[in-house]
Amino acid sequence: MEEASGFRALLDLEEPKYSVEQISAKTGKSPVYVASRLKLTELTQNVVDAFYREEIGVGHALLLAKLQPDQQEQALAVCFKEDWSAGGQKAKRILLPVRSLQFWIESNILLVLKLAPFDKRDAQLVPAAGSCVDCPMRTGHNKLLFSDLGKLDACTSPGCYQAKVEAHVAKAIAAKPTLVQISTAHGQQKEGSVTLPRNKYTEIRPDKPATKEQATRPEFKTCKYTTDAIVSDGIDKGELRKVCTEPTCPVHHPKSRSQKVADDPKWKAEQEKQRRETAIANTTGIRILAAITAAVPVRLMKRDLLFVAERLASLLDENRLAIVAKQYGIRKSKDSDSLGKLFAAYLRRAEESVLGKVLVESTILYMATRHNPSQVLHDAAAVYKVDIRLFRHASNIRIPS
């Protein structure tokens, strides 16, 4: 901290004038080192006090210094977890590793700009914020400070980012009033709302089908009712989609086959073939899912994990809850048993490491109900570095419904 104050004093001199590079040359330290130490002088008082009390280390302080003042206060609390294992009226506060704080910042603060739905160069989208290109809160604006991110360019102000998403949606709707507004969440449409919930439309996938079987699915087909839509609520807000909102559409809501077709031997053989392929895909998908959950580390406190795991499990339907429960040896001994209650009781007895795995596994299964199951599993495998090529039939995987 004293070194940082010294660097700041040199930088603030009127004569002679110093730059980060000049200070680096004079001290023998790298420009990245000097830039990161200078940010320590912008820590909030609470963080500074915690640092001097040796409650956090240099690594924690350097990460916190990169954040905005209000974010520093929030992130400081994330540096610790409470341990109640010793009993008593007060929990023991344990400092988590620097990598835990880094993971939290990447998950909760940094927003990758290349994925933003709005025009990053538009300075008039939110005039008070200006263009993202010239924004000092962009990681690419200070490559010395965020050298650890490489070429990744991200926004460090979630509030500003969200304001631009809202403005982008409003601008798109104003420019094209016929644009259908959709939500990625299921449920009932609120009275007076023009936003359609997920169960009121069929999204047309932009990618081409990978197999002949996929080519027969409604989501890979267009119809005369296909129209442009914008996500105005939920995940991927601000993105443009192609959807069909017509409930009587023969393409996306085809009528059931007649009994005559159902009795056709050729059709039955095709159904049996699809059943076998589905069984193989289900088995492979479950094995990959198990491998992903085996790679999940412990990051949250037990009470947090239990809180989220219980509520996420309650969102799963009976079939998907049975998949998770089976992974941990939970089965109904009789038909009158409630799998939900058995699983909830198991969660309350489980260790933190088990809760973390349940949380990730339940999230994957729940997301599979709202997005393409195969893509959800691929994305999860990439995050936890599970090589799906090691699994047989991995080219045709799915999560069973």
Side-chain angles (χ1 to χ4, degrees):
M1 194 70 76
E2 293 170 356
E3 183 180 42
S5 299
F7 289 161
R8 176 60 64 186
L10 287 174
L11 205 63
D12 291 342
L13 285 175
E14 292 186 4
E15 287 295 336
K17 278 287 185 184
Y18 284 98
S19 65
V20 170
E21 289 73 17
Q22 289 172 328
I23 295 175
S24 168
K26 282 188 172 292
T27 59
K29 306 290 186 180
S30 70
V32 171
Y33 180 94
V34 174
S36 61
R37 290 306 187 274
L38 278 168
K39 287 295 289 184
L40 290 177
T41 62
E42 299 178 21
L43 288 171
T44 64
Q45 191 58 49
N46 284 342
V47 178
V48 172
D49 293 342
F51 179 72
Y52 277 122
R53 289 195 300 266
E54 298 185 354
E55 294 177 358
I56 59 174
V58 176
H60 297 87
L62 289 172
L63 284 177
L64 292 170
K66 296 179 181 181
L67 307 179
Q68 305 302 316
D70 58 328
Q71 296 170 352
Q72 290 182 29
E73 298 294 326
Q74 186 182 6
L76 178 60
V78 179
C79 293
F80 307 93
K81 77 169 184 177
E82 294 180 350
D83 183 11
W84 295 86
S85 60
Q89 299 296 319
K90 189 175 181 181
K92 181 180 179 182
R93 195 164 73 151
I94 299 175
L95 179 64
L96 295 172
V98 173
R99 65 176 179 274
S100 178
L101 176 59
Q102 178 72 50
F103 178 82
W104 183 88
I105 292 173
E106 291 176 356
S107 303
N108 296 275
I109 301 296
L110 300 183
L111 295 161
V112 181
L113 284 171
K114 72 176 182 179
L115 302 178
F118 53 83
D119 182 2
K120 278 77 70 179
R121 297 181 179 276
D122 187 355
Q124 299 304 314
L125 186 60
V126 178
S131 167
C132 293
V133 177
D134 303 319
C135 181
M137 291 187 288
R138 179 173 59 87
T139 60
H141 190 272
N142 194 337
K143 293 184 179 180
L144 287 179
L145 186 61
F146 293 96
S147 60
D148 55 313
L149 297 180
K151 294 182 179 180
L152 179 67
D153 196 7
C155 172
T156 63
S157 178
C160 179
Y161 184 96
Q162 187 58 37
K164 289 197 172 185
V165 171
E166 295 284 355
H168 165 71
V169 172
K171 182 179 179 181
I173 295 172
K176 190 176 181 181
T178 58
L179 204 60
V180 177
Q181 298 182 50
I182 59 174
S183 170
T184 54
H186 290 259
Q188 293 294 324
Q189 186 174 6
K190 295 180 180 179
E191 187 176 353
S193 174
V194 296
T195 302
L196 298 179
R198 185 64 184 86
N199 50 307
K200 293 293 185 180
Y201 65 89
T202 299
E203 181 181 336
I204 315 300
R205 292 179 54 173
D207 53 320
K208 294 183 178 180
T211 64
K212 290 183 178 179
E213 188 276 328
Q214 280 190 350
T216 64
R217 296 179 187 174
E219 62 264 31
F220 285 98
K221 299 178 180 178
T222 58
C223 65
K224 64 180 181 179
Y225 302 108
T226 300
T227 185
D228 293 324
I230 188 169
V231 180
S232 60
D233 178 65
I235 300 172
D236 301 328
K237 185 172 183 177
E239 290 192 1
L240 296 175
R241 304 284 174 84
K242 294 283 187 182
V243 300
C244 169
T245 62
E246 176 54 53
T248 62
C249 174
V251 176
H252 298 106
H253 298 282
K255 295 180 180 180
S256 60
R257 295 175 179 269
S258 65
Q259 188 60 42
K260 182 179 178 180
V261 175
D263 291 338
D264 185 2
K266 183 178 180 181
W267 183 83
K268 285 185 176 181
E270 181 64 26
Q271 291 298 301
E272 179 60 21
K273 179 182 176 182
Q274 290 183 11
R275 187 195 64 77
R276 289 195 301 269
E277 291 176 350
T278 299
I280 293 173
N282 285 348
T283 302
T284 306
I286 291 174
R287 290 176 60 199
I288 295 175
L289 186 62
I292 293 169
T293 55
V296 178
V298 178
R299 294 192 182 278
L300 303 177
M301 292 184 290
K302 182 176 180 179
R303 66 178 184 182
D304 298 320
L305 290 167
L306 179 60
F307 176 83
V308 180
E310 284 183 331
R311 282 148 184 81
L312 190 55
S314 70
L315 298 176
L316 299 178
D317 58 36
E318 186 75 16
N319 291 337
R320 286 180 171 81
L321 183 60
I323 292 173
V324 182
K326 185 178 179 181
Q327 300 281 66
Y328 303 96
I330 304 170
R331 293 181 177 85
K332 295 194 294 186
S333 57
K334 50 188 178 180
D335 292 337
S336 60
D337 287 342
S338 169
L339 186 60
K341 290 183 178 179
L342 291 174
F343 191 58
Y346 172 79
L347 291 178
R348 286 190 284 272
R349 299 192 304 270
E351 298 294 329
E352 288 184 19
S353 58
V354 175
L355 290 174
K357 297 176 190 298
V358 170
L359 188 60
V360 173
E361 192 168 9
S362 300
T363 300
I364 293 172
L365 289 168
Y366 181 64
M367 291 301 293
T369 66
R370 306 168 67 179
H371 299 278
N372 179 261
S374 179
Q375 188 60 49
V376 169
L377 206 58
H378 272 95
D379 293 344
V383 171
Y384 288 100
K385 297 181 173 57
V386 172
D387 190 351
I388 65 173
R389 294 174 298 180
L390 301 177
F391 298 83
R392 291 183 63 194
H393 310 292
S395 61
N396 182 28
I397 60 174
R398 59 176 288 177
I399 301 175
S401 58

